[in-house]
Structure formats: C-alpha cells, structure tokens
Amino acid sequence: MPLPSTFADFTGNQPTVESLRAAIALGRLPHSLILLGPRGAGKYTLSLLLTLALECENQPRETAPDGRDLAAFCGHCRNCTRIAESADLDTKVEEAVASREEMREVDKKETRVLVQTHPDVLIVPPDPPQLLIKLGQIRTLINRSHTLPTESRAKVFVITSAAFMKEAANSLLKVLEEPPPYVHILLLAENLGELLPTIRSRCAVAHLGALPAEEIATLLAARRPELNKTERDLTARLSEGAAGRALSFNLAEYAAARNDALTILHTAEHSGGLQDHSTLFRMTETYRAGAEGQTKTTALLRALSSLLEDILLLQNGAPDRVRNIDKRTDLQRLADTFAFDWIEQAVRAIDAVQSGMRRNLLRSLSLDALAVELEGTRR
Ligand SMILES: [Zn+2]
C-alpha cells in the first residue's frame, strides 16, 4: 500500500493525529512515544507520516480549525522521498531477510533485520523467524542514537512490534531513560500488556481507536472495487475497525484459516474421546515447518479466537456484534452446544498459546497442548 500523500488522506483518529502534528510544530513531540492500536489501525503508516513531518526539508505548516499550527510534509524533498521508500515494510523486510540468507553462516548469526532508506531513520521490525525484537537490533539502535543526524533534524527509530526478547527490552530501557535531544523513538503496540511496565512508564502513549464498520465498508467501496457488498460487509466486520487491515484484508486466506478453525471446533463438538483427534493433529502437523507455518498458525489462532468470541456474543444475546456474519448458522449451533465455561476456558487457552508463541516456546508443542486442552475442557 502506498503511503498517504498528506495527513488528510490518513483515515480515522483525526484528534490524535492533529495533536501529534501540533506537538511536532511546537517541537514538543515526546521523545519516546508508543502508538497504541489494533492491528491495521495505521500505526506504521502514521509513524512514517510523523517521521516525514519531523524530517521534511521544507517543514510546511497547516492550520487546524482551532487555530493551532500543524506540522506537515512536502512529499517531494530528498528526505521525504527516501523515508517514503520504507512504506512497503513487508517487501523491505523480505529483501533484508534474503540478503541475510546469502551471508556466510557465521555472519548470518550476527546479522539482524533492519530497514533503512534514509540515513537518519531506522525501522526495527520483528526479526524472523521468531518475529521478536532482538538484542542485536536494539544494540544497533543504541549505537546509532549516539551520533547526531547527518541529513535532517532528528534521528527517528520506529520499532514496529512490542514483542521483545527480554534482553532487548531491558537494553531499550537505558535509551528511553535519557534519550538524546535529537532522538525520537516510536514504538508500535497492539496492547500495553505486551510491554514491560518500566518501558510503558517512560513513554507517552497515543491511542489509535477502531473505526465503525459502516465507515470501513464505505472506504472499501471506494478503494477495493473488486469486492461485492457481502464481501465488503464481512471484511469491514472482520477487520475490527482497522482501516489499514480492511484495505489489505485477504478474505480467501482468512476463509482458509477459518475452515481449519471450524474443523477444530467441530472435532471438539463431536468428539467423545481421543480417537477423534486425528483430523486435528493432521492439520496442525502440516503447519509445523518454517515461517510459513508460523504465519498459518497465527492465522488459525486468530480465526479460532474470532469464532469463539462470536459464539460468546451469540450466547450473550448480542448477535448484531457477530463478525463472521456468513457463518451465523454454524456459530448459532455451536453456541447452543458448548457450555459458556468451555468457551471461556478455550479463549484463555488460545491466549496462552499466542503469548507462548510470542515468548518463542516450541510452537507445535503448545498447539498440541491446546488441542488436548480443548478436548479436556469440553466435558
Ligand atoms: Zn519534504
């Protein structure tokens, strides 16, 4: 997705965006800032727009309705154009991973994935295959933070995930404590619970909230004409108020993950014992290897959570909030079958697997444990 060419093209959360722009215009943007919001809310996009506003050679200003000065960016100076090259993060990360693959084994181990398209701006994505922010990455950040910017006014570091390895989080604390005056650290997080309290307490927090489903459906009608109305409505609900997520939502991939998740639920629904595990184990078996398996597992767990939450909504008499609207009949039957306690326990078990995966436990192990848990708690 290309970067919005102005702040006005950034969808949603206008008050938050304006106060951040006003802070930049006054030279008062907090040096350590958490951009907090659901996946797809535009955290990465906004972090780059703020970086552009900090670094643009032309420093244009706009006036807010309330008279405040708002920082903006020109979009065509040498700083703007180079920073904007970081917009397609997935491709940049793939390139960095590919060049690491070509290294000698000994160098490979020491090389962490970083994205840099401007000398004063460093993007720190979760390092594959574990997809955690690692010590080597934070060490690089700290080293770079010691030198003055060379081609712009500030050094900006964007950490795109809050999933840190412990040593990495601890070492980040030092720079958060006393960041040099020219340094800005933007940390993107889906929930504050992922972060050490000591990190949270050293950062300002800007919240990006969810948008109403109708607003997202309207946005989709304009930006994704290939989707029909049913697909737009489903995508709007599944993306849970996150414009960016809706715009890039892959309905086919989600449907595949959800089918597997439904198989798990049906297995649990019908199983009288361990003999019915074979489908489930066959399925998780195909997920085990490599980064693709990790992606599929994450998608499966997300789909499973989303189905279980919908079942809870049905059980609680809130059918209008169900997201998987095309599976309502199926979900209603499951809602009638499963006990509330079972669902609650299953949701907790899935949370545990997800945080286990973030902490880099053996994925297949925790998945199998989840399968057993789902069986065990049914009765
Ligand atoms: Zn510019």
Side-chain angles (χ1 to χ4, degrees):
M1 229 179 9
L3 214 52
S5 51
T6 65
F7 275 105
D9 294 332
F10 181 81
T11 315
N13 294 291
Q14 242 23 69
T16 304
V17 175
E18 278 187 7
S19 63
L20 293 170
R21 294 175 64 191
I24 293 176
L26 291 168
R28 285 194 202 143
L29 186 72
H31 289 274
S32 308
L33 176 66
I34 296 172
L35 295 182
L36 179 69
R39 201 161 61 98
K43 299 185 292 296
Y44 184 63
T45 302
L46 182 60
S47 75
L48 285 187
L49 298 185
L50 296 173
T51 305
L52 289 169
L54 283 165
E55 305 287 46
C56 176
E57 290 169 13
N58 293 312
Q59 290 295 306
R61 294 287 179 261
E62 290 165 6
T63 308
D66 62 9
R68 284 182 301 176
D69 255 359
L70 302 179
F73 53 89
C74 76
H76 50 74
C77 70
R78 279 282 287 150
N79 285 344
C80 282
T81 51
R82 283 181 291 173
I83 293 163
E85 283 170 25
S86 292
D88 189 352
L89 184 61
D90 290 345
T91 307
K92 290 289 168 198
V93 168
E94 273 169 33
E95 286 169 9
V97 172
S99 64
R100 179 167 69 180
E101 282 311 304
E102 284 162 16
M103 292 175 173
R104 294 181 306 157
E105 278 309 316
V106 50
D107 296 331
K108 217 185 263 186
K109 265 197 170 148
E110 296 301 314
T111 305
R112 293 286 164 243
V113 168
L114 296 162
V115 172
Q116 181 154 39
T117 59
H118 182 285
D120 299 323
V121 178
L122 184 71
I123 315 288
V124 183
D127 193 84
Q130 300 92 340
L131 295 177
L132 294 167
I133 304 293
K134 294 186 185 153
L135 183 59
Q137 293 173 300
I138 299 302
R139 282 209 177 119
T140 306
L141 184 159
I142 291 170
N143 284 337
R144 305 266 178 100
S145 75
H146 291 146
T147 57
L148 289 164
T150 53
E151 301 192 24
S152 53
R153 307 181 315 150
K155 281 236 161 155
V156 182
F157 301 95
V158 179
I159 304 173
T160 70
S161 158
F164 284 86
M165 283 184 80
K166 203 160 187 247
E167 318 84 82
N170 285 329
S171 110
L172 181 66
L173 277 177
K174 293 180 203 120
V175 63
L176 292 179
E177 197 125 275
E178 259 181 288
Y182 51 84
V183 164
H184 284 279
I185 297 173
L186 303 173
L187 175 54
L188 315 187
E190 284 179 33
N191 64 71
L192 286 178
E194 289 177 288
L195 293 164
L196 290 176
T198 40
I199 288 191
R200 295 202 304 258
S201 66
R202 285 168 173 78
C203 298
V205 180
H207 291 262
L208 298 185
L211 305 182
E214 300 72 42
E215 202 170 315
I216 301 230
T218 309
L219 180 72
L220 287 171
R223 301 274 294 273
R224 292 188 66 183
E226 78 279 11
L227 299 180
N228 64 35
K229 183 170 184 323
T230 313
E231 291 167 333
R232 286 200 300 269
D233 289 346
L234 181 59
T235 305
R237 283 183 176 245
L238 290 170
S239 52
E240 296 174 63
R245 194 173 164 198
L247 289 173
S248 62
F249 198 91
N250 186 328
L251 207 50
E253 249 171 49
Y254 175 78
R258 191 178 59 177
N259 274 342
D260 287 352
L262 280 168
T263 307
I264 291 183
L265 292 178
H266 290 153
T267 308
E269 183 188 11
H270 297 297
S271 103
L274 288 168
Q275 71 274 16
D276 284 334
H277 267 105
S278 52
T279 336
L280 175 56
F281 282 110
R282 261 205 312 279
M283 183 169 65
T284 56
E285 196 72 52
T286 64
Y287 283 178
R288 278 176 195 181
E292 196 199 325
Q294 174 121 10
T295 310
K296 280 178 80 173
T297 305
T298 307
L300 170 74
L301 292 172
R302 284 212 173 105
L304 203 49
S305 291
S306 141
L307 291 170
L308 289 169
E309 283 163 22
D310 279 354
I311 294 170
L312 283 177
L313 289 170
L314 287 170
Q315 290 184 339
N316 288 321
D320 49 319
R321 287 174 51 207
V322 165
R323 285 159 300 179
N324 295 277
I325 36 180
D326 57 328
K327 293 285 176 192
R328 200 172 259 157
T329 321
D330 226 8
L331 292 171
Q332 187 60 59
R333 202 193 61 252
L334 290 165
D336 297 338
T337 310
F338 291 130
F340 182 78
D341 291 351
W342 184 86
I343 306 271
E344 272 214 311
Q345 249 171 309
V347 170
R348 269 203 299 276
I350 292 166
D351 278 352
V353 174
Q354 284 176 317
S355 71
M357 282 174 66
R358 278 196 291 273
R359 287 197 313 271
N360 202 18
L361 295 180
L362 203 60
R363 181 166 42 83
S364 56
L365 191 72
S366 41
L367 255 193
D368 290 351
L370 169 66
V372 171
E373 177 95 6
L374 288 175
E375 281 305 318
T377 53
R378 163 135 160 69
R379 284 166 298 274

